Structures are given as C-alpha cells and as structure tokens.
Amino acid sequence: DAMVIQNPRYQVTQFGKPVTLSCSQTLNHNVMYWYQQKSSQAPKLLFHYYDKDFNNEADTPDNFQSRRPNTSFCFLDIRSPGLGDAAMYLCATSSFEEGTYFGPGTRLTVT
Amino acid sequence: AQTVTQSQPEMSVQEAETVTLSCTYDTSESDYYLFWYKQPPSRQMILVIRQEAYKQQNATENRFSVNFQKAAKSFSLKISDSQLGDAAMYFCALYRVNRDDKIIFGKGTRLHILP
C-alpha cells in the first residue's frame, strides 16, 4: 500500500513555465518535507512543515514555494523553472513514533 | 559544518560476502534517531534500518545490522550475505528530536555488488 504518493512521476516543463508537483500521504504524519536531489548527490532539503508551521531553508531559491493545505497534501511550486532546476524532487513524511518515509519522487525535466 | 559524514564514496563487495559501510555524526542532542536509507537506481529512497539513540542494543533487520557506538558517534551498517539487489546508494541520516525536525543526510556511499 502506497504511503507517500507523488504525482506526476515524470514532469517535463519549458524554461520559465510554472510547474506544480504534488505529494500526498496516508500516514497522518505531522512533518512533511520537500527535497531536491541531483544525480549522485544527497537530497537537499528545500522546505519542511511541522503541521502547518512552514520552515524554509535559508538557501532555497525564491523561485520555489510550497503549500500544505491539510495534513495529507503538500505542493511544491516552481515559479519560473530554469535548466538548473532539473532534478528529482522527493517528498517525505515523518513522525516521532514511526520514522520517515519517502515517496517515489518526481523527475523534473526542463527544456 | 558537516553533521553526518560518510567517508567512503564507493565500495565494492563480492556477492555473498559481508560489507560494512561507515558513518559518523555530530550532535549535542541526547535524543535523536539514526537511519540508513537505500536508494537503488530506480531512485525510491527506502528505509533500511533505524536506531534510537537511547537504545543500547544495536538494531537488526534480517541481513542488515548496525554497530552503534554512541560515545564515538559512529553508526556503521553491516550487510551480510550480500545480494545483487543490494547494489544502491546508501545514505546515513540523523534526525534530532525536538530540535528542528530536519533529517540530515550524509553524502552517500555507492555500493557495488560483484557477481
């Protein structure tokens, strides 16, 4: 049973064309994360939420925004994607008791 | 400053042999969790094993076990009877309870399994 679901799995967008990635969870975890991962590198944290409390990493570009309308859903908006934003975007959820679970990721291509 | 350090960028092991991946970390917190994640070429990040800092007993999950040395801040992963499906990138990660809810990753170790 899928616990952290990301849609779409593959996304192609044009340079400068806004794109939204989505994540949903069935675990009812308080914490949700968005990571950016480029090839052969560790995931880089962009944002995380504790419930609705939003935390933005200091080095996350202004081009990236996030929304969490409820416990189950979280969105990553890239306002004007550049070629350097092509990456795998990972969503994860976490709770103190159960640990951390990752979704399968969305691979973003910018043309 | 690097909080989680994996000093081996790549390792290779013969199929059916045992391999140990090393990880050291730095935190002043007393309450934290340590994880090993596996990321195969398909790129889904999978939790392999987790260790609560307050537990002295080393965690074990089938062929995977850890050697948790709290005083030395060391958290190595041992894979016994290595299988071809174990080939992946392995990330060590730290979660500090009640600090900032962040998961801090090491840079990863790419494990190759030789048939």
Side-chain angles (χ1 to χ4, degrees):
Chain A
D1 293 335
M3 294 182 287
V4 183
I5 303 159
Q6 289 188 246
N7 285 305
R9 294 290 309 277
Y10 301 91
Q11 176 73 57
V12 180
T13 191
Q14 292 177 330
F15 184 95
K17 186 173 181 182
V19 66
T20 295
L21 311 182
S22 73
C23 176
S24 63
Q25 57 145 331
T26 60
L27 298 160
N28 205 34
H29 284 173
N30 303 93
V31 188
M32 291 186 80
Y33 307 87
W34 278 107
Y35 286 89
Q36 180 193 64
Q37 188 180 29
K38 297 190 176 180
S39 184
S40 299
Q41 295 183 19
K44 176 182 179 295
L45 183 64
L46 297 173
F47 308 101
H48 77 280
Y49 289 86
Y50 188 94
D51 290 329
K52 287 213 165 183
D53 291 336
F54 173 72
N55 296 274
N56 184 23
E57 290 301 292
D59 58 354
T60 298
D62 293 338
N63 198 25
F64 290 81
Q65 295 179 325
S66 182
R67 298 168 281 138
R68 189 180 185 186
N70 54 53
T71 302
S72 301
F73 286 88
C74 195
F75 300 96
L76 176 65
D77 301 307
I78 309 175
R79 288 191 292 183
S80 182
L83 297 178
D85 297 327
M88 180 73 88
Y89 289 88
L90 300 173
C91 176
T93 74
S94 183
S95 79
F96 177 76
E97 298 82 10
E98 296 177 16
T100 303
Y101 294 87
F102 282 82
T106 295
R107 182 178 293 282
L108 179 67
T109 301
V110 182
T111 62
Chain B
Q2 186 91 14
T3 308
V4 179
T5 303
Q6 293 178 249
S7 58
Q8 305 147 315
E10 286 195 65
M11 293 189 72
S12 295
V13 63
Q14 207 74 37
E15 194 176 3
E17 297 294 309
T18 295
V19 64
T20 299
L21 281 57
S22 64
C23 173
T24 57
Y25 62 94
D26 186 27
T27 182
S28 57
E29 306 296 315
S30 59
D31 197 4
Y32 55 90
Y33 288 75
L34 292 160
F35 308 97
W36 278 99
Y37 285 94
K38 170 186 177 181
Q39 192 175 40
S42 66
R43 304 297 289 272
Q44 172 117 32
M45 191 81 78
I46 302 163
L47 178 64
V48 174
I49 200 164
R50 91 175 191 163
Q51 174 81 42
E52 291 92 334
Y54 63 87
K55 287 190 177 177
Q56 290 187 331
Q57 186 173 4
N58 289 324
T60 300
E61 288 288 338
N62 301 314
R63 298 183 294 108
F64 298 86
S65 62
V66 297
N67 184 5
F68 175 45
Q69 301 289 326
K70 192 171 182 177
K73 294 183 179 173
S74 169
F75 183 62
S76 60
L77 175 70
K78 186 171 84 171
I79 307 174
S80 304
D81 186 25
S82 299
Q83 300 175 1
L84 294 177
D86 295 334
M89 192 74 134
Y90 286 82
F91 292 99
C92 179
L94 167 71
Y95 175 80
R96 298 173 294 191
V97 180
N98 298 326
R99 172 76 186 267
D100 52 17
D101 299 311
K102 295 181 186 179
I103 308 162
I104 302 165
F105 286 91
K107 291 190 174 182
T109 296
R110 183 171 297 283
L111 179 65
H112 303 278
I113 309 295
L114 306 173

